[in-house]
Amino acid sequence: QSVLTQPPSTSGAPGQRVTISCSGGSPNIGSNSVNWYQQLPGKAPTLLIYNSYQRPSGVPDRFSGSKSGTSASLTISGLRSEDEAAYYCATWDDRMNEFWVFGGGTKLTVL
Amino acid sequence: QITLKESGPTLVEPTQTLTLTCTFSGFSLTTAGVGAGWIRQPPGKALEFLGLIYWNDDRRHSPSLRDRVTITKVSSKNLVFLTMTNMDPVDTATYYCVHYLDFRTGKRYFDLWGRGTLVTVSS
């Protein structure tokens, strides 16, 4: 049972826009920024969004992040077949001497 | 260019202790704001934070695994170690070593991951 809640799966057609939600609580998302990771099949995760909305160099601007209260979202615009992957949110939790928490992951299928 | 590589046993028996080594390059664990963490992923399941060690030797651990996990480093040799005691089949997972940055402004993240190493716990 993950501390952060994500939908297990979502889908979209090429060119469409999809949004993946990540829900937490006051000690984690409510107090800290959120990072998003993309994990292609059989690969290690890569950083997609940090500080809730910033993109590392090389990440297309089709990917965007936002945060409001105790929830965060990842939006992918202009969906492409290579976006088919699992997506994870992560943040810092201020309880119990602080630790990182991850969402359960969302599997994106490009139809 | 930052690289991280995990190494260690691929098979351990239940109740044994697992020790994994992370050999990294392209950064120093003596630089303020830098850390290295361990994250695992059971087959077909989600990512799970195990622990993190900072440049100043401060550490953070998963509350649920705190009693079993120890993370240490040898900064001069660019090495980070994960030790996990009393291994169980449910600990079967890919274990990742990850580079970490903390800007002390609220901005912090794991940015670069090793390829991971699959550890199977079975007798």
Side-chain angles (χ1 to χ4, degrees), chain B residues 4-7 19-24 27-29 34-38 51-55 57 59 70-83 96-99:
Chain B
L4 308 103
K5 185 176 182 180
E6 307 85 353
S7 60
T19 298
L20 294 177
T21 301
C22 175
T23 304
F24 62 85
F27 69 95
S28 173
L29 262 178
V34 175
W38 289 93
L52 166 64
I53 188 164
Y54 289 91
W55 80 99
D57 226 29
R59 301 161 209 216
T70 302
I71 298 177
T72 56
K73 63 181 175 68
V74 180
S75 300
S76 61
K77 295 186 176 181
N78 286 1
L79 297 172
V80 177
F81 303 97
L82 168 72
T83 301
Y96 294 101
C97 177
V98 195
H99 176 256

Side-chain angles (χ1 to χ4, degrees), chain A residues 33 35 37 39 92 97-98, chain B residues 41 60 106 108-110 114:
Chain A
S33 62
N35 306 321
Y37 297 90
Q39 187 175 31
W92 192 246
N97 202 32
E98 306 174 322
Chain B
Q41 184 174 36
R60 296 291 183 270
R108 55 187 128 186
Y109 47 85
F110 296 102

Side-chain angles (χ1 to χ4, degrees), chain A residues 51-83:
Chain A
N51 201 28
S52 300
Y53 63 91
Q54 292 183 272
R55 286 185 305 276
S57 173
V59 173
D61 60 6
R62 302 186 296 106
F63 296 90
S64 62
S66 65
K67 193 192 93 163
S68 178
T70 58
S71 295
S73 295
L74 171 71
T75 297
I76 309 172
S77 304
L79 205 57
R80 304 175 68 161
S81 58
E82 56 261 40
D83 298 333

